[in-house]
Amino acid sequence: MQTVTVERTDDRYVVTLDRPAARNAIDAAMIAELHTVCGIVEAAPAPVLLTGAGEHFAGGADIGELRERGRDEALSGINRTLFDRFAALPLPTVAAISGYALGGGAELAYACDIRIATETAVFGNPEPGLGILAAAGATYRLPSLIGQSVAKQVLLAGRTLDAEAARRYGLVMDVVPAGEHLAAAHRVIDRIVASAPLALRLTKAVVDGTARIEDIAQAVLFETADKRDRMTAFLEKRNRR
């Protein structure tokens, strides 16, 4: 991969947006590579630490690419589809944020379960100033994270939130000095991995409202001796024919 790096340790993934010369702007190549990352994590679930190389988390989407996109690209939800997939990863995700988290970069941060920020962090969604809207999750994630009133200030009035405001409104868990965000995020994941993975997975699904009662009920039934006995009897009867 050219725009993202992935490190797998025993109990977590560390994913780094790696276009520091472009403030880690999210382009089509990064979207494709983050889909690859999601596939890796879905196949072997573990908590994810997401961060950006250099001084910034992600300064937005690639404006040059956005300018050339038309109706069909908008209707396909290119960025939204990825961010929704990232939000749905089975185990908790923690964003370690320094500098700019703007536009699409902010929306990717909103898609994480927990955010840690440095004192330099700035969140904002300036999309209306570019003739578009924040269509990759901000309109439905940000109100639930910080409340509808403050979300409207960000989405409609162009307000940016510095690190202290983000902490005050609950957008970030903690604010740490510059350069300490990765260590702080790792400490959060240390606490996460001390818990039972299945309990974490179910808790996240319930809190996010993605838990389906039939899946949970089926999971319980799949572990019963009655299910195994009945299916074994069925297979033995069929094999005797």
Side-chain angles (χ1 to χ4, degrees):
M1 291 188 281
Q2 301 299 313
T3 68
V4 177
T5 64
V6 183
E7 176 189 359
R8 174 68 198 261
T9 67
D10 290 341
D11 59 9
R12 71 197 66 184
Y13 295 92
V14 179
V15 179
T16 305
L17 310 178
D18 196 14
R19 298 184 69 209
R23 294 177 176 171
N24 299 319
I26 300 171
D27 63 359
M30 185 180 287
I31 291 290
E33 292 180 2
L34 285 172
H35 272 297
T36 299
V37 170
C38 286
I40 293 170
V41 177
E42 289 160 354
V48 175
L49 191 162
L50 178 67
T51 193
E55 298 179 3
H56 301 285
F57 179 74
D62 188 297
I63 301 302
E65 289 187 354
L66 280 180
R67 184 183 62 181
E68 302 308 314
R69 289 182 186 174
R71 178 185 59 193
D72 291 343
E73 288 85 0
L75 290 173
S76 69
I78 295 171
N79 289 17
R80 177 192 54 76
T81 300
L82 169 69
F83 298 167
D84 285 352
R85 186 178 183 185
F86 202 90
L89 289 176
L91 290 170
T93 55
V94 179
I97 299 161
S98 65
Y100 291 145
L102 302 176
E107 291 180 295
L108 179 54
Y110 304 156
C112 293
D113 297 306
I114 296 169
R115 287 152 294 278
I116 300 292
T118 69
E119 297 164 339
T120 67
V122 178
F123 299 86
N125 289 97
E127 285 90 343
L130 296 169
I132 59 174
L133 60 85
T139 56
Y140 51 90
R141 288 199 178 93
L142 195 57
S144 68
L145 291 170
I146 64 175
Q148 188 177 63
S149 177
V150 181
K152 285 184 175 181
Q153 294 170 35
V154 173
L155 297 171
L156 301 178
R159 179 180 179 182
T160 57
L161 302 178
D162 63 18
E164 284 304 322
R167 176 164 59 181
R168 186 165 65 250
Y169 294 125
L171 182 60
V172 302
M173 177 179 177
D174 202 3
V175 176
V176 298
E180 296 184 14
H181 54 309
L182 281 176
H186 276 296
R187 289 194 294 272
V188 173
I189 294 183
D190 289 341
R191 295 200 294 273
I192 288 171
V193 299
S195 296
L198 182 57
L200 289 169
R201 186 168 184 166
L202 290 174
T203 299
K204 177 173 175 174
V206 170
V207 171
D208 287 347
T210 58
R212 295 181 60 88
I213 186 63
E214 59 266 39
D215 291 341
I216 296 173
Q218 189 76 298
V220 172
L221 292 170
F222 269 21
E223 295 296 319
T224 62
D226 196 33
K227 168 254 189 182
R228 178 168 291 277
D229 292 344
R230 289 173 180 271
M231 290 189 175
T232 299
F234 172 86
L235 293 172
E236 290 175 348
K237 181 178 179 181
R238 187 184 66 181
N239 292 337
R240 287 196 296 268
R241 291 176 183 173

